[in-house]
Each structure stands twice: as C-alpha cells, then as structure tokens.
Amino acid sequence: MQVVFKIVRQNQNSLPRVESYPLDVESSATILDCLNQIKWQQDGTLAFRKNCRNTICGSCSMRINGRSALACKENVGSEIARFSASSAAAPNQIPEITIAPMGNMPVIKDLVVDMQGFWANLKAVDPYVSTAARQVPEREFLQTPAERSQLDQTGNCIMCGACYSECNAREVNPEFVGPHALAKAYRMVADSRDDRTAARLEKYNQGTEGVWGCTRCYFCNSVCPMEVAPMDQIGKIKNEILARKDGQTGRSIRHRKVLIDLVKQGGWIDERQFGLQVVGNNLKDLKGLMSLVPLGLRMLSHGKLPAKFEPSEGAKQVRSLIESVQAFQTESKRL
C-alpha cells in the first residue's frame, strides 16, 4: 500500500520543518520498519532512536499522528485506520502518517529529544528501595506473593517517556516531576521492604512538584504502552498521604477532604463553605480569608452568592456511594 510519511525535522535550536517521504509498505509493517526504510533507502540523515524492536527498551517513543507511542509497537494498518476514523480524508487519497518528536523535552535532532530532565526528575523521587534502618546480617528481606504482586503494574514501566511527553501539568509547571517519576515513586511506597515510606510521602506531598501538581487529564494513562496507568499510581500516593494527614496539614489535603465531606453532606458542593474551609481553614487562616474578599464582592455584585444552600435530590444516594467506596478501600487495605 502507498503511504506518505510526513516527518517533523529540525536541528537543535532551529525551527522545525516537515518533510514528506512516500513509501510502498505492507499494512502490517511497524512505524519503526518504515522509518528504517526511509533512512536506509531515501534519506540517511534522518535521526531517531531505536534498539530492541520488541516493545521492551522504550527507545523508539515518538509522536505518531499526534500521540506519543512506541514506533516498534504501532503498525501502518492500525494507525491509518485509527487516524482515518477521526479525520475527513477523501476515500481515494493516499493516507498520511505524521511523525514528530516527543513533547516536554528539547529536540536534539529530528526525532531525538534531550531526556536529561526526564531522568533528573526520576532521580528526584529516590526510586530505590531503602533497607538501611533494618539491616539483618546474613538474611534476605523476603516478600509474600501478595506483597510482590503490589509491584507488578508499576514494575512494567520501561521508561519510554510517552506519559511525560503528553503531560499537561509538566507543560505548564516545570517543577512537576512528571507521571513517570511518581509511578515509580508509588512502587517504593508499596514495597514492603522499604523503610522510608513516611519520609517519601512527606516529599511527594510538597507543593506542586509532587502528586498535587497532577491535573488528572488522564493523557498519561491513555498513551502508556505497558498499561502502567501512571495517574492511577499518583492517586494511590494521594490516598496514602490523606490517610496519614489531617485537614490542618495543608491546603491541598484540606481541598480533597473538604470536597468529599461537603459532597457527602449535600450531594454537591456548597461553594460558600468550600472556600471558607479550604482557603480560610475554618477561619484560622486570615491571609487566606482576605484573599477571598475580592471574589466574594464580585459574586455579590453579580448576584452569584446564594443566601442558602439547597442539597441535591440524590444526596442520600451520593452519600451511600461514597461511604461504600470508602468501606471498600478500607477493606482492601486490610487484605
């Protein structure tokens, strides 16, 4: 079949350009097969990373038709079908596949990006098991099969960078360590051999560089080729933090706890109470309270500040659902 590959190319510190390469390939050919064919037969200057060709090393991650994926995993036929379903291409038009470098990382050349920041952020979460405080001579730190199974999902991460490339939080907040780092961080939190769980949770709870910097866009989950589900792991760290902290610890934790409490009470959020309890810390944070005054005045002037709160009709059902989920989570931890 005839396919045109449109590849975004650029040199370091230069503007990108798009170059087109027509190919005659089988629909079963992987994107990496096609890039190899272009490099070997049409343009030897094309630069991209590759290694195992078997979805193991993560080297060939790049943006394929707008989403980060492994070039060795995606094939021409499925990619054309996926893209055609969401576009208005003419029936007889030669299909096109656009290849671009990953996002959130500076380009070195063509599809090769500088991953130093990616690795530095991974290092920042200390992704190594610590047993320094529990040294027992001539004895291993054994785990039960159940304890080991807690590490399976995060252990599948191949550090391809796809989640980091698509992370909205990382794009707007350079302090956020990224979903890859926090997925690895949860592996340490869940590891029964580690003796630094409390210290780790304190670290991951700080500001917006840790778990509270996540915007919950789910892009990291949608592009992960190994089904690590980084955002789910971030949520698990948040739950661990919330289980150990009370509402006075910080605004991020109050935000989560107050939101759940208010929805349980009324079925939806009483915004008046939400601001006072989260930002004003139940009238204990004067600076926070003062920051609410301009917003409150604007709401009053536009008739947007309700005099009373009306619970939703399904408040009892909502409360029952939340309590059921909380009971399930408590029981799961026991098991």
Side-chain angles (χ1 to χ4, degrees):
M1 65 184 301
Q2 289 288 325
V3 181
V4 175
F5 277 79
K6 303 183 76 172
I7 302 179
V8 178
R9 304 191 62 183
Q10 71 181 102
N11 294 319
Q12 195 170 20
N13 300 320
S14 67
L15 293 174
R17 66 188 187 280
V18 178
E19 295 188 6
S20 298
Y21 300 91
L23 286 181
D24 188 1
V25 295
E26 298 291 333
S27 62
S28 60
T30 67
I31 302 300
L32 183 57
D33 290 335
C34 297
L35 291 175
N36 281 333
Q37 187 174 333
I38 292 170
K39 186 174 180 67
W40 295 338
Q41 299 178 8
Q42 296 189 38
D43 190 342
T45 67
L46 178 63
F48 55 92
R49 288 192 175 108
K50 61 177 182 177
N51 193 3
C52 73
R53 301 187 299 174
N54 286 291
T55 323
I56 295 173
C57 71
S59 299
C60 63
S61 185
M62 56 191 68
R63 275 181 170 161
I64 304 172
N65 283 337
R67 87 191 196 290
S68 295
L70 296 179
C72 69
K73 184 179 181 182
E74 308 302 322
N75 64 55
V76 172
S78 61
E79 192 58 34
I80 290 175
R82 183 187 73 84
F83 192 64
S84 299
S86 59
S87 65
N92 297 323
Q93 181 180 343
I94 296 177
E96 297 178 346
I97 294 178
T98 301
I99 310 294
M102 288 194 291
N104 288 327
M105 289 169 271
V107 174
I108 296 176
K109 179 175 170 57
D110 297 338
L111 306 176
V112 179
V113 295
D114 186 347
M115 300 183 71
Q116 290 187 47
F118 174 88
W119 296 116
N121 284 333
L122 175 65
K123 184 179 179 181
V125 302
D126 299 325
Y128 313 104
V129 175
S130 173
T131 58
R134 301 185 303 176
Q135 291 295 338
V136 180
E138 300 180 3
R139 181 178 175 182
E140 294 180 291
F141 292 98
L142 303 179
Q143 289 182 300
T144 66
E147 289 173 333
R148 179 59 183 82
S149 68
Q150 297 297 312
L151 314 179
D152 289 345
Q153 188 175 18
T154 51
N156 288 335
C157 178
I158 58 176
M159 291 286 113
C160 65
C163 63
Y164 190 85
S165 171
E166 300 300 323
C167 180
N168 286 325
R170 177 66 196 174
E171 186 172 351
V172 299
N173 176 17
E175 300 300 321
F176 182 56
V177 294
H180 72 301
L182 292 172
K184 285 293 186 183
Y186 178 70
R187 188 196 183 284
M188 300 302 108
V189 171
D191 198 314
S192 61
R193 300 165 297 177
D194 190 79
D195 62 4
R196 297 185 57 240
T197 302
R200 290 183 189 280
L201 293 176
E202 285 292 338
K203 185 174 185 177
Y204 308 151
N205 184 38
Q206 298 302 312
T208 56
E209 65 261 31
V211 293
W212 305 110
C214 173
T215 59
R216 297 178 61 83
C217 67
Y218 279 92
F219 281 175
C220 58
N221 281 16
S222 67
V223 300
C224 178
M226 305 305 292
E227 298 184 355
V228 173
M231 210 219 74
D232 293 3
Q233 313 314 320
I234 294 172
K236 292 175 185 177
I237 297 177
K238 289 180 178 179
N239 288 336
E240 290 287 342
I241 293 172
L242 290 167
R244 294 165 180 255
K245 302 286 187 180
D246 60 32
Q248 303 304 312
T249 306
R251 186 175 294 182
S252 297
I253 293 175
R254 284 201 304 275
H255 186 283
R256 182 78 170 261
K257 288 181 177 289
V258 170
L259 185 146
I260 294 173
D261 289 343
L262 290 179
V263 173
K264 282 178 67 176
Q265 292 173 21
W268 50 42
I269 298 173
D270 183 347
E271 295 179 350
R272 304 168 307 164
Q273 293 296 323
F274 190 75
L276 290 175
Q277 293 185 39
V278 175
V279 181
N281 193 13
N282 291 305
L283 308 181
K284 297 175 184 177
D285 185 346
L286 294 179
K287 186 176 180 180
L289 285 171
M290 293 303 297
S291 70
L292 291 173
V293 172
L295 174 62
L297 291 175
R298 289 197 301 272
M299 291 177 69
L300 278 172
S301 64
H302 289 84
K304 300 291 186 180
L305 190 64
K308 62 179 181 178
F309 174 75
E310 293 291 341
S312 70
E313 293 182 0
K316 290 183 179 180
Q317 290 88 339
V318 171
R319 185 183 308 114
S320 178
L321 285 170
I322 294 175
E323 290 174 348
S324 296
V325 170
Q326 291 174 332
F328 175 78
Q329 290 175 337
T330 301
E331 185 64 24
S332 297
K333 287 182 179 180
R334 292 174 183 171
L335 298 176

